Amino acid sequence: MNFGFQIKLRGDDFNGHFTNGLSMANSQSVRRCKKTFEENDKTVFEAEEYRITAYHIKRDDAYECYTVFENTSNHDLTLDMLASFCIENIDADIIHRATSFWSAEGKLLTQSLVDINMERSWSGHGTRIEKFGQIGSMPVRKWFPFIALENSKTKEFIGIQLYCASSWQIELFRNRDPLTLSGGLADFDYGHWCKTVKAGDSFTSPKAVVAFGNSLNDVCDRLVKAQNPRISNVDKDMPVIFNEYCTTWGNPTKENIEKIAKKISGSGIKYLVIDSGWYKKPEEDWWATIGDWNESKELFPNGIKEVCDLIKSYGLIPGIWFEFEKVAWLSDVYNKTEHLLKRDGVPVSVDGQRFLDMRDRWSIDYLTEKVIDFLRDNGFGYIKIDYNDSIGVGCDGAESLGEGLRQTVLGTQKFFKRISDELPDLVIEGCSSGGHRLEPSMMELVSQASFSDAHECLSIPLIAANVQRLIRPEQSQIWAVLREKDDIHRINYSLTAGFLGRLCLSGEIFDLKDEYWNNVIDAITFYDKIKDIIKNGKTTIIESTARDYNNPTGYQAVLREYDNKALLIIHTFKNGANPPIDKYLNSWNIADSFGSELDSDYRGKAFLLKNMV
C-alpha cells in the first residue's frame, strides 16, 4: 500500500464509472497531477495551476496525515473536495466501523466487503463505493470518524481516525483490486463544502491519523495513544467526580449542594459539579433559558459564589455546567439575531434554540464575560461544556454552507483554547448530549469527556467498553448513578462499569444505607489501585455476547494490561451467570477484586491481576 491524494476542483471532470453524485474521487483534478517530489514524510504532486503536498509523518506507532493545496495560478480556484488522507493498494476483506447514536455510542459494526457489495465488477468497470460520514456540528452522530480494514488471511489491519469536528466523510472504493481508502472534510456533494483559494494562497486539510497492526485492538490502541489531550495538572491523577445532575435534575440549590458536599467530603471524591439549571428563570425549565447565563436569585439568593466557597470548605473543587454555543427561546440573546448563525438569511433554529456565531467578535466578547470572567470571579475549578444539538449542513458567511460550518466550529475550538489559556488550572469536561463530540480534535482540548448520556442503563458497561477503542479511557467519564432503592448488586454493577474509564458518581448518595456507602468508599479505594492501568494500559480483550443493548444477554469481559498488571472487568446480563472467568486469567493471578460474585444476572466485578512470573 502507499499514500496518495484526492482532490476535485470546480470545473474539472468527474471520474465516470457511474460515480457522479456518489464520489468526487479520481477526478480530472487528480489525473492532471504528476509526482514531482517524494521523501519519507511527504509527497508532492503538481499540475499546471496548483500543487498538492500530501504529508504522512511517522509519529511513534502511527502516521499523521494531512494535505496542503497551493494555488500557483494567477486566479482563484475553488476546491469542491480535498481529502486529508488517501491510502492506495490495500488488500482487505473486512471493514470495521463504530456506529453511534444518543446513549448508544461506539457500537462496533463489522462486515465482510462481499456482504456490502464491494467486490470488484467482472470487468473492473463501474466503481464500487462505500461512503459514510456525518453532516453538522456533532461529529460523532451516527458514525465515529473512524474505520479499520482487515485482511482476514494475513491478520493485517489498518485503522484511521479523522480529526474533524465539522462535517466529514470516509470513502472506500475500487475498480479493480486492490482498494483505496480516503477521507476528510465532507465534499460539496455530500456536505455542501467548497473553498475558494486565491492566487498564491493555500489551504490545509484537517489531519488524520493512520495506524497499522495485527488486531483491531492493536490499531485502536495506537490510534487512541496518538491523541494528545490538554489535561489540566489538577486532573492528571484521574480524581473521582460527583455530578449532581441525576440528583437534582436541573434544580440545584444551596441546600442540596451542601447536603451532597457533607456526604462526599473526605471520601476520595475531588470534584462537585453543579449541572444545568443554576441560571434558570423562576417557574421555567432549565433548557428554556440557556443563553443569558445570569445566576438564579431564586436558587442562590446570596449568589453562586457563596455556594462555590461552601464546596471548597468541604475540601472539594467546585464545577459548573455551561452550554455556551446555544441560546434558548426564553433568553434575551435568542433575539439578537445579528450575532446568531443563519442559513439563507434565516436564523438556524432547532426545537426552540439557536446558535451563537462563534466567528463573531461580539459573541466571543460576550462569552468571555459570561463564561471566563464568571469562572474566575467565583473561583470555579471545573467546567462541563455541553452541546445538545447540531447546526446541520452549515450556515451563511462563507463561500459554502459547509465552509461556514467549518469556520464556526473552528471558532468554538479557538474559544476552548482561550478558556485553557486564561485559566490554565481549570479542568474542562467536554459533553455533547453525552458522546456526540468524542472526536479526536475535540478530545485534545479537554481533560475528560462524558462518555454518554446513559445515566442508569443496563448498557453502560457495553458503551464504556466500546469507546475504549476510540478515546483514551483516562478521559472517558462514566456515570455511576446510585439510588436509595438499589441493592448492593445494582450498586456494584454501576461502580464496576465506572472502572472502564473515569468514575463519576451521581444520585441519592446521602440516602444510601451506611453499609452501601461504605461499599462506595471501598470502590474509590479500589479505583485508586487501578488508575495507572486505566491511564497507561492497553485493552487487549473486549468480548461481549450482548447484541440488543436495551435487553443485553450473556456477559461482557474487558481486559486491559499494563506492565506486569492487568484489570479484568466482567459484567453479567440476562442469562449470563457464571461466565468463564478462567478463560481470561491465563498467566495472571488475582491480586485484588471489587464487586459482586458473578453467580447471577446483572452483576459486575473487577479484578486486579498480576503476572504469575
Side-chain angles (χ1 to χ4, degrees):
M1 63 186 72
N2 58 278
F3 291 98
F5 75 102
Q6 288 293 335
I7 179 178
K8 171 68 171 67
L9 285 171
R10 184 158 295 177
D12 282 354
D13 285 0
F14 292 87
N15 177 37
H17 286 269
F18 318 113
T19 61
N20 193 2
L22 289 177
S23 175
M24 292 187 165
N26 296 329
S27 70
Q28 184 182 20
S29 308
V30 174
R31 298 193 297 272
R32 290 183 193 276
C33 291
K34 293 182 180 180
K35 185 190 296 186
T36 58
F37 180 79
E38 186 172 14
E39 60 183 20
N40 289 337
D41 63 354
K42 67 180 179 182
T43 308
V44 179
F45 305 88
E46 294 191 69
E48 184 177 347
E49 295 187 320
Y50 52 92
R51 180 184 300 114
I52 308 294
T53 305
Y55 287 88
H56 37 86
I57 304 166
K58 186 74 161 62
R59 300 195 189 282
D60 297 325
D61 291 329
Y63 289 86
E64 180 181 309
C65 299
Y66 60 94
T67 305
V68 178
F69 172 85
E70 298 173 80
N71 182 349
T72 58
S73 76
N74 59 6
H75 57 90
D76 293 354
L77 295 174
T78 297
L79 287 166
D80 278 339
M81 187 269 277
L82 180 68
S84 298
F85 72 94
C86 178
I87 304 171
E88 301 168 334
N89 300 318
I90 302 171
D91 188 5
D93 59 328
I94 295 174
I95 179 174
H96 303 274
R97 290 177 282 185
T99 64
S100 192
F101 286 111
W102 181 77
S103 291
E105 292 83 353
K107 191 172 186 179
L108 188 67
L109 178 63
T110 296
Q111 296 168 299
S112 163
L113 293 184
V114 170
D115 287 342
I116 59 172
N117 204 12
M118 276 293 293
E119 64 267 54
R120 56 162 287 175
S121 70
W122 63 272
S123 68
H125 183 62
T127 302
R128 300 322 199 219
I129 300 169
E130 180 66 13
K131 183 173 180 177
F132 66 101
Q134 184 282 139
I135 304 302
S137 51
M138 283 179 154
V140 179
R141 185 180 60 165
K142 174 63 176 171
W143 301 102
F144 275 78
F146 159 86
I147 188 173
L149 297 176
E150 174 187 350
N151 184 320
S152 62
K153 293 180 180 178
T154 64
K155 296 303 178 186
E156 293 175 300
F157 287 74
I158 177 173
I160 295 100
Q161 278 192 315
L162 271 172
Y163 286 55
C164 183
S166 55
S167 299
W168 59 267
Q169 66 184 40
I170 292 173
E171 54 182 320
L172 179 68
F173 52 87
R174 72 174 356 139
N175 286 89
R176 302 178 185 274
D177 293 327
L179 296 152
T180 297
L181 180 63
S182 73
L185 290 164
D187 61 34
F188 190 76
D189 280 354
Y190 190 62
H192 205 276
W193 178 84
C194 68
K195 179 69 180 177
T196 299
V197 182
K198 295 185 179 299
D201 284 353
S202 64
F203 179 79
T204 301
S205 74
K207 79 174 184 180
V209 171
V210 180
F212 302 90
N214 298 315
S215 70
L216 181 61
N217 286 332
D218 195 22
V219 293
C220 287
D221 183 71
R222 292 177 180 183
L223 291 173
V224 166
K225 285 190 168 75
Q227 297 171 20
N228 186 30
R230 186 176 183 175
I231 296 178
S232 168
N233 287 329
V234 180
D235 202 44
K236 286 184 176 176
D237 63 342
M238 296 173 55
V240 180
I241 308 102
F242 189 95
N243 181 304
E244 55 77 42
Y245 180 68
C246 295
T247 310
T248 73
W249 299 110
N251 191 46
T253 64
K254 176 188 174 183
E255 291 71 28
N256 57 38
I257 295 299
E258 183 168 20
K259 189 177 180 182
I260 294 167
K262 282 182 179 179
K263 184 68 175 181
I264 66 176
S265 179
S267 65
I269 297 170
K270 191 168 187 174
Y271 309 115
L272 174 49
V273 181
I274 302 170
D275 209 279
S276 58
W278 57 269
Y279 48 81
K280 68 181 185 178
K281 297 177 180 178
E283 308 303 320
E284 298 294 347
D285 292 317
W286 64 263
W287 61 84
T289 51
I290 65 169
D292 291 339
W293 306 118
N294 300 315
E295 56 198 78
S296 169
K297 296 301 182 183
E298 180 184 32
L299 297 175
F300 307 109
N302 298 320
I304 204 164
K305 188 176 189 303
E306 178 188 48
V307 178
C308 200
D309 292 340
L310 176 69
I311 292 171
K312 291 179 183 178
S313 74
Y314 285 98
L316 302 163
I317 293 176
I320 194 78
W321 179 95
F322 272 93
E323 188 181 0
F324 54 68
E325 295 161 76
K326 290 172 65 239
V327 297
W329 72 95
L330 293 181
S331 68
D332 294 338
V333 188
Y334 185 81
N335 295 309
K336 294 184 181 294
T337 56
E338 67 273 25
H339 304 299
L340 305 181
L341 292 180
K342 301 180 183 67
R343 184 151 65 238
D344 299 325
V346 178
V348 179
S349 300
V350 181
D351 196 24
Q353 302 197 352
R354 294 172 174 170
F355 302 84
L356 281 177
D357 188 339
M358 298 300 286
R359 304 163 295 182
D360 179 62
R361 184 72 221 176
W362 181 92
S363 297
I364 300 305
D365 290 344
Y366 176 74
L367 293 182
T368 298
E369 174 191 350
K370 290 294 186 177
V371 179
I372 297 176
D373 293 349
F374 172 86
L375 294 168
R376 183 188 292 113
D377 293 346
N378 289 288
F380 283 100
Y382 184 116
I383 182 174
K384 176 178 178 178
I385 303 174
D386 211 340
Y387 186 72
N388 286 308
D389 225 307
S390 173
I391 294 167
V393 70
C395 53
D396 298 340
E399 54 265 63
S400 61
L401 296 177
E403 175 62 7
L405 172 70
R406 186 188 73 89
Q407 290 177 7
T408 198
V409 168
L410 289 179
T412 291
Q413 293 186 321
K414 185 176 179 181
F415 190 70
F416 270 65
K417 292 173 185 175
R418 182 171 184 171
I419 295 172
S420 292
D421 290 343
E422 295 204 23
L423 302 170
D425 292 329
L426 184 74
V427 177
I428 300 178
E429 174 197 338
C431 182
S432 180
S433 289
H436 284 108
R437 273 182 168 170
L438 300 182
E439 171 276 328
S441 72
M442 293 301 301
M443 293 301 298
E444 291 195 331
L445 300 175
V446 300
S447 282
Q448 50 183 288
S450 299
F451 88 120
S452 180
D453 261 357
H455 301 128
E456 300 174 70
C457 312
L458 293 173
S459 58
I460 286 178
L462 297 164
I463 300 168
N466 288 340
V467 299
Q468 284 198 357
R469 298 187 182 99
L470 302 154
I471 64 172
R472 288 176 174 259
E474 68 180 295
Q475 290 187 278
S476 181
Q477 186 192 116
I478 300 164
W479 290 97
V481 180
L482 310 178
R483 299 294 183 203
E484 180 185 15
K485 63 180 176 56
D486 292 341
D487 64 19
I488 192 64
H489 301 304
R490 184 65 177 89
I491 288 172
N492 286 339
Y493 186 95
S494 299
L495 292 169
T496 51
F499 297 159
L500 290 162
R502 295 294 301 274
L503 182 59
C504 176
L505 303 181
S506 193
E508 302 152 0
I509 44 98
F510 35 72
D511 291 329
L512 294 179
K513 298 176 184 177
D514 288 344
E515 62 183 289
Y516 291 2
W517 178 244
N518 289 335
N519 193 65
V520 175
I521 302 300
D522 290 342
I524 294 171
T525 301
F526 186 83
Y527 175 75
D528 285 336
K529 295 178 183 179
I530 60 174
K531 282 180 181 177
D532 59 336
I533 304 173
I534 298 170
K535 183 174 184 177
N536 302 309
K538 175 181 178 180
T539 299
T540 55
I541 294 174
I542 302 177
E543 288 188 1
S544 176
T545 62
R547 297 184 65 190
D548 182 345
Y549 280 18
N550 290 325
N551 300 286
T553 58
Y555 73 97
Q556 174 180 272
V558 179
L559 182 69
R560 188 166 176 85
E561 302 180 39
Y562 178 58
D563 284 344
N564 64 341
K565 299 186 294 184
L567 174 63
L568 174 63
I569 300 175
I570 299 181
H571 284 83
T572 65
F573 312 120
K574 184 179 180 181
N575 301 323
N578 300 309
I581 298 173
D582 291 345
K583 172 182 175 182
Y584 305 104
L585 295 179
N586 291 324
S587 61
W588 300 103
N589 280 325
I590 297 174
D592 200 357
S593 65
F594 174 86
S596 299
E597 293 306 311
L598 302 172
D599 55 3
S600 189
D601 296 348
Y602 306 113
R603 303 287 176 88
K605 191 165 187 176
F607 302 86
L608 174 60
L609 308 178
K610 293 194 175 177
N611 202 302
M612 289 182 181
V613 179

